[in-house]
Amino acid sequence: MDAIKSDSGGAAREVDVVVVGAGFAGLYLLHELRRLGFSSVALEAADDVGGTWYWNRYPGARCDIESIDYSYSWDPDLQREWQWSERYATQPEILRYLGHVADKHDLRRDIRFSTRVTGARWDAAAQRWSVRTDHGDEVRCRFYVMATGCLSVPKTPDVPGHERFRGASYYTGRWPKEGVDFTGKRVAVIGTGSSGVQSIPIIAQQAKELTVFQRTPNYSRPAKNGPVPKAKKALFDADPAGYRAAARLTGAGVPVEKPELRAFQVSEAERRARYEEAYQSGDLLVFGAAYTDILFNDAANESVCEFLRDKIRALVKDPDTAEMLTPRDHFYGTKRPCIDTNYFETFNLPHVRLVDLRREPIRTVTETGIDTSARSFEFDAIVYATGFDAMTGAIVAVDVAGRDGLSLKQKWDHGPRTYLGVMTTGFPNFFTMTGPGSPSVLSNMAVSIEQHVDWVRDCLVHMRAEHLDVVEPTPTAEDAWVQHVNDCADITLLPRANSWYMGANVPGKPRVFLPYIGGVERYRKICDDVVARGYLGFAFAGGSGRRCNDGVVRRLQPDAEIFLEMLTELGAPRIETLSVADARAFAAASGAAQPPGPAVGEVRDGQLAGAAGPLAYRLYRPATPGPHGVVAYFHGGGWVLGDPQSDDPFCRYLCVKADAIVVSVNYRHAPEARFPAAADDAFAAVRWIADHAAELGAAPGRLAVCGWSAGGNVAAVACQLARDAGGPPIAGQVLVTPVTDCDLSRPSYAQNGEGYFLTTDLMRWFWDHYADPADRTSPKASPLRAPSLAGLPPALVVTCEFDPLRDEGSAYAVALAKAGVAARERQGRGMIHNSVPGVDVMLSAVGLRAELASALRAFLGAATPHATAARRDPASAAHA
Ligand code: FAD
Ligand code: NAP
């Protein structure tokens, strides 16, 4: 690509790249483009560089990611030269830093300040963007990059009457350059997010009276600011490059210790000690990383919330004020938490008062103050710390028109849609820095910004090398990315809060989780993966023709991916290479590490009559008043492994959610008891449970079966045997990723036979231990092969997309339906063989689990006379 010369005013009429914004992102991008010979210009609304740190000059503004981390890594000299004066640098210091970078690299000469971009239109014929500014001129470019910031458009004030106020109104995100002196003034601050939390203590030092209007109290704790911690500085100075490299391979872009335990795997005392240490650290990120499940599990998160609530109560003297300041309506980290300097203590000062807008909402701002539903206040100044139209605000504020005049604002009407947060279909050669769908605001943004700049830079270099003119993501790739972003968010607690991450702070904004919560490291790997796979999901056009490498970079559910990574990290053995004893020991150890599952009314162990002697069972009884139906449950483990303990959390779950007694049967295992022992035991157990329903405290006649994997196999077989034997009546069967056939040649074995936990080799190992080849085709081993499936109980067959058993499960559901059985299949998108029983681990399966529990509940609602129907079916003689 040829560089096109700028005109003399520094304003290029036509350049390779237009960059909008001269904050952290724009400055680095400009540097890289110039270094690589792309002509470029940055258009910046402000009259200087700095972005966030130009606009947010409110008292107390500073970063809350430590400055050592929240700084550029791309200039090794800068890293050595620049010494931060504080752990968390103030806004003026960060602004000086960015100004220094601009000077050092002479970046200002390519920036047009005081220039707002108002529109941009893709000219398909010329393959150029025309970028319009508020000066009425246009700049044409091949690539148009919005480095416009995630938090750069202050929210339009949505406080009624705000325009009436005759005193001074200030916005934290647009603070006057000359500063504000509040001495002797009666000041109101509306908003208690990070900007409010930082500014309130400083404003209180000046003001005669300060009144804080709070809608939602926030989790905050002392920042423990001071000089840069010596240990951290020593670590950084010893190996800056190594330190930065480590930061890139973390969840949030800051080196913090990765948790390994769940919150309730340790004692309460140990947990509190961990939280105390986190509290004293003054580090924003450590609470979220205290245990693996803090952002995923209600109870784990609540333990953090309670700890922090105690701290607030201890800091604030007046109990009523303390209660008002105590967050109760959202989990920790689901709205961005804060770190502060004397925030809560400020409310102990006699001239500071708090107004809880939940108790007395603002009725209107008046000429002289604020009226709530209960009182009138008079002020000299009102400070709006009411936040931003985050992530999308600055992008859609520009009238961007892509291919065929497609309006970006319209395309994103129901929420932003991007591929990797960096491009969006329909808008060729248009990039967003830290756009929606990228880690951005959930990370140390310096790290995320650099990664995006590097990726876009490399993409442009690639295009130049390959003589490509136009790049655009494919709809398939974009749809899948949007799905993946949502999948990642949905397994966390974050979408539950009314946060700006969800767009919930801006009236009328669609409720969509905006950033990518999969983490910086994972995201970086995905972006690298996209490139390594030949720019997967992108279509290019140029002199060498059109190349479209359509595809999806991540299909797996994020929890399945994490689980599989964990297995690799732990060096988990391939079970099929172990002896049976070692395999059982390994399975038992893995089972012991599971979260316990929900509490039930009663758990007791007993014995029932199996086909060849007594079998152990474990009974789970709901805490609700009976009579309950009963579920005969069969655990997974390939007929070789597993026991009631291994599936204990899942049985508890079924007990609670299906509101049923669950009897988990420890049927005989191979190789000690080979085929048909497990199948015969399953049927014997079903019969015994039906016969002893009253003794078990269950309602007679309300019996269903359920099983996972090999347990699904014996559950299916038990239904067939019951049909053929004329009873007992079974109201329904829920088969979770069941083995239904011994044929390992179905496509799902080829597609998912390696790398998704249950492998083809392991399935072979299971079969070899369980049944001789000649026996495997028996319907008692391969229930799909029964001559007729008519007359079987209604069925829900759950299959998972990334499971070798997927296709035989689907085949069974289809065959059941064909035979007239009320059967349906539900497939877990992106899930693996163990997703569904993974209670409190595989959170992506929450919906599917709930669905199968409600299927059981429905089956047990009334006894159904299937056995009777079956008796009339001549084909049911198959198993006789
Ligand atoms: P910005 O710094 O927002 O720069 C975007 C620029 O684009 C702005 O200068 C804006 O004027 C310009 N612009 C936008 N639209 C147009 C247009 N149409 N035409 C022309 N110019 C336009 N992140 C952290 O990781 N750690 C922190 O501690 C931290 N502290 C923060 C504190 C505050 C008060 C705020 C508001 C945010 C903080 N952030 C923090 C997030 C912060 O926004 C990013 O870290 C980073 O500064 C963003 O840089 P950027 O270049 O992407 O965007
Ligand atoms: P914010 O987190 O969105 O907080 C805005 C506050 O104003 C909230 O308390 C909100 O209440 C309240 N509010 C909004 N509209 C209101 C209305 N109409 N009436 C009454 N109250 C209203 O915005 P922010 O504090 O500017 O912070 C935004 C983000 O910028 C932060 O989350 C952070 O990422 C970044 N930031 C970082 C720092 C730092 O420490 N480094 C400092 C400032 C900002 P509700 O919660 O009820 O909506």
Side-chain angles (χ1 to χ4, degrees):
M1 178 182 321
D2 296 319
I4 300 160
K5 266 194 143 187
S6 303
D7 68 18
S8 52
R13 279 193 314 270
E14 176 139 354
V15 288
D16 292 335
V17 189
V18 163
V19 177
V20 191
F24 258 97
L27 291 179
Y28 176 42
L29 181 60
L30 212 48
H31 176 271
E32 289 302 276
L33 292 171
R34 189 193 284 169
R35 186 172 69 79
L36 289 157
F38 294 100
S39 64
S40 49
V41 63
L43 306 176
E44 168 56 65
D47 64 10
D48 202 351
V49 298
T52 291
W53 304 101
Y54 173 94
W55 295 109
N56 290 268
R57 298 166 191 252
Y58 61 83
R62 55 175 80 239
C63 56
D64 59 4
I65 297 285
E66 294 187 52
S67 291
I68 281 193
D69 299 296
Y70 185 58
S71 48
Y72 286 130
S73 74
W74 51 270
D75 179 344
D77 295 339
L78 176 73
Q79 296 201 129
R80 270 193 305 275
E81 290 156 20
W82 190 272
Q83 299 298 323
W84 293 104
S85 67
E86 288 179 89
R87 181 180 183 188
Y88 298 109
T90 58
Q91 171 271 329
E93 187 170 1
I94 303 172
L95 187 58
R96 267 202 310 281
Y97 171 79
L98 291 171
H100 172 74
V101 171
D103 290 340
K104 180 172 183 241
H105 295 283
D106 189 20
L107 296 174
R108 284 193 173 86
R109 76 177 148 95
D110 286 329
I111 306 173
R112 275 175 64 182
F113 293 109
S114 305
T115 304
R116 179 168 293 283
V117 171
T118 54
R121 174 168 295 274
W122 174 246
D123 175 347
Q127 299 187 333
R128 293 285 185 279
W129 280 95
S130 293
V131 179
R132 292 190 305 283
T133 78
D134 60 353
H135 297 292
D137 61 343
E138 275 192 3
V139 185
R140 285 170 70 77
C141 56
R142 298 181 54 192
F143 299 100
Y144 168 52
V145 187
M146 291 190 88
T148 43
C150 295
L151 296 158
S152 57
V153 175
K155 202 171 77 145
T156 316
D158 53 355
V159 182
H162 65 91
E163 69 292 342
R164 290 168 60 193
F165 187 58
R166 289 203 307 263
S169 296
Y170 301 103
Y171 300 88
T172 50
R174 289 287 180 270
W175 205 258
K177 258 187 181 174
E178 60 282 8
V180 180
D181 183 4
F182 289 114
T183 308
K185 299 274 192 321
R186 297 162 305 166
V187 183
V189 174
I190 304 176
T192 51
S194 304
S195 304
V197 163
Q198 285 188 331
S199 57
I200 284 163
I202 313 284
I203 295 175
Q205 285 169 14
Q206 289 181 356
K208 185 169 85 179
E209 282 173 17
L210 172 64
T211 308
V212 175
F213 291 84
Q214 170 195 271
R215 191 163 66 184
T216 309
N218 224 323
Y219 295 101
S220 187
R221 59 207 160 78
K224 309 266 174 184
N225 193 22
V228 174
K230 282 201 176 90
K232 179 143 186 148
K233 185 157 164 39
L235 190 68
F236 180 78
D237 288 345
D239 178 14
Y243 184 95
R244 298 294 195 185
R248 291 180 196 117
L249 300 182
T250 59
V254 177
V256 282
E257 222 173 286
K258 258 192 186 169
E260 282 176 2
L261 295 175
R262 294 187 303 275
F264 293 104
Q265 275 179 299
V266 302
S267 68
E268 191 181 341
E270 202 178 317
R271 204 162 46 244
R272 285 194 79 83
R274 175 85 190 87
Y275 293 160
E276 188 60 40
E277 192 191 327
Y279 189 82
Q280 296 304 338
S281 75
D283 186 322
L284 178 73
L285 303 168
V286 286
F287 267 102
Y291 294 102
T292 54
D293 50 354
I294 298 295
L295 295 179
F296 299 90
N297 179 281
D298 295 28
N301 192 292
E302 185 59 24
S303 69
V304 172
C305 298
E306 235 348 271
F307 177 90
L308 292 172
R309 289 177 194 135
D310 281 350
K311 292 291 186 187
I312 297 170
R313 286 189 277 266
L315 287 172
V316 182
K317 289 185 185 141
D318 172 49
D320 189 41
T321 308
E323 182 51 32
M324 286 194 277
L325 287 165
T326 300
R328 295 192 186 281
D329 75 340
H330 64 281
F331 285 114
Y332 176 81
T334 59
K335 286 172 86 114
R336 192 171 185 287
C338 306
I339 52 175
D340 67 82
T341 303
N342 297 328
Y343 175 64
F344 291 112
E345 294 88 331
T346 299
F347 293 92
N348 294 331
L349 299 172
H351 67 295
V352 176
R353 67 188 153 184
L354 180 67
V355 176
D356 182 349
L357 297 179
R358 298 276 161 90
R359 294 185 190 175
E360 45 175 314
I362 293 178
R363 219 169 43 71
T364 183
V365 176
T366 65
E367 283 76 10
T368 54
I370 293 177
D371 286 357
T372 68
S373 59
R375 296 178 269 180
S376 288
F377 298 88
E378 303 246 306
F379 298 115
D380 303 307
I382 300 177
V383 174
Y384 293 89
T386 45
F388 299 87
D389 183 353
M391 303 222 53
T392 53
I395 300 174
V396 298
V398 174
D399 176 18
V400 183
R403 237 184 323 106
D404 305 321
L406 177 67
S407 148
L408 183 63
K409 194 171 161 44
Q410 267 173 21
K411 179 181 170 183
W412 286 7
D413 214 21
H414 300 290
R417 300 184 68 77
T418 70
Y419 184 35
L420 306 175
V422 81
M423 290 197 86
T424 181
T425 47
F427 297 83
N429 291 4
F430 167 61
F431 299 91
T432 50
M433 293 289 94
T434 63
S438 76
S440 57
V441 293
L442 294 174
S443 65
N444 170 1
M445 286 202 62
V447 170
S448 290
I449 284 169
E450 289 189 358
Q451 187 258 344
H452 259 194
V453 168
D454 293 350
W455 196 93
V456 170
R457 173 202 65 201
D458 294 349
C459 178
L460 299 196
V461 169
H462 167 78
M463 289 175 71
R464 180 166 61 185
E466 300 286 318
H467 306 289
L468 298 166
D469 299 321
V470 181
V471 58
E472 189 184 332
T474 68
T476 314
E478 179 169 292
D479 289 350
W481 184 251
V482 170
Q483 183 69 64
H484 179 63
V485 169
N486 288 330
D487 287 346
C488 289
D490 287 347
I491 62 172
T492 73
L493 302 173
L494 274 80
R496 296 204 216 162
N498 288 323
S499 64
W500 59 258
Y501 300 141
M502 292 295 296
N505 64 329
V506 176
K509 194 165 171 171
R511 198 182 164 89
V512 171
F513 193 76
L514 296 166
Y516 174 68
I517 200 174
V520 163
E521 179 184 15
R522 185 173 306 282
Y523 176 77
R524 176 182 292 272
K525 278 189 188 147
I526 291 172
C527 291
D528 292 349
D529 206 13
V530 163
V531 175
R533 293 164 72 181
Y535 282 92
L536 183 68
F538 285 100
F540 290 94
S544 53
R546 191 181 135 81
R547 285 184 213 170
C548 177
N549 184 13
D550 205 1
V552 171
V553 67
R554 281 296 179 276
R555 277 203 138 91
L556 261 186
Q557 287 287 349
D559 45 11
E561 192 174 327
I562 292 167
F563 172 82
L564 295 169
E565 283 167 2
M566 213 176 61
L567 287 187
T568 311
E569 265 170 38
L570 293 174
R574 293 180 72 99
I575 291 175
E576 66 273 21
T577 63
L578 302 179
S579 68
V580 167
D582 286 349
R584 285 179 184 157
F586 175 74
S590 311
Q594 301 175 93
V600 298
E602 182 197 4
V603 179
R604 70 177 167 82
D605 291 334
Q607 279 200 335
L608 54 76
L615 297 176
Y617 71 81
R618 179 166 294 175
L619 178 141
Y620 303 82
R621 190 185 309 285
T624 54
H628 301 101
V630 62
V631 177
Y633 179 82
F634 301 97
H635 62 78
W639 308 283
V640 177
L641 314 174
D643 52 36
Q645 188 53 41
S646 61
D647 290 29
D648 183 79
F650 190 39
C651 288
R652 288 168 175 275
Y653 175 89
L654 294 176
C655 171
V656 171
K657 298 286 179 181
D659 195 32
I661 293 171
V662 175
V663 177
S664 177
V665 180
N666 203 12
Y667 53 91
R668 280 172 296 159
H669 290 159
E672 294 84 352
R674 285 167 65 84
F675 174 85
D680 287 342
D681 277 352
F683 177 48
V686 168
R687 211 160 23 190
W688 186 91
I689 291 165
D691 291 347
H692 295 76
E695 205 176 294
L696 297 173
R702 287 167 59 191
L703 168 68
V705 299
C706 178
W708 168 51
S709 192
N713 170 270
V714 297
V717 172
C719 288
Q720 295 189 6
L721 295 175
R723 175 197 62 180
D724 300 346
I730 296 173
Q733 47 181 331
V734 171
L735 310 177
V736 182
T737 56
V739 183
T740 70
D741 193 31
C742 59
D743 176 6
L744 307 196
S745 70
R746 290 193 164 79
S748 55
Y749 277 94
Q751 291 158 7
N752 310 320
E754 192 52 56
Y756 299 107
F757 175 63
L758 176 64
T759 62
T760 304
D761 286 346
L762 181 56
M763 246 352 266
R764 246 183 230 117
W765 188 83
F766 284 142
W767 274 113
D768 288 347
H769 282 298
Y770 181 49
D772 293 338
D775 290 332
R776 292 180 196 176
T777 52
S778 155
K780 272 170 94 170
S782 295
L784 184 60
R785 299 195 182 220
S788 168
L789 300 180
L792 287 170
L796 171 64
V797 183
V798 177
T799 58
C800 288
E801 186 181 356
F802 290 96
D803 182 3
L805 304 186
R806 180 194 67 206
D807 292 349
E808 66 197 74
S810 297
Y812 198 58
V814 169
L816 284 169
K818 232 173 161 179
V821 175
R824 64 195 170 97
E825 178 193 356
R826 273 286 283 115
Q827 189 168 109
R829 182 180 48 76
M831 295 181 199
I832 58 176
H833 186 63
N834 57 327
S835 287
V836 176
V839 176
D840 291 338
V841 177
M842 297 300 207
L843 301 173
S844 60
V846 162
L848 201 47
R849 267 196 293 278
E851 212 176 304
L852 71 87
S854 77
L856 282 172
R857 193 188 268 259
F859 289 150
L860 294 172
T864 38
H866 291 283
T868 323
R871 251 175 304 197
R872 288 195 295 270
D873 175 12
S876 68
H879 295 314

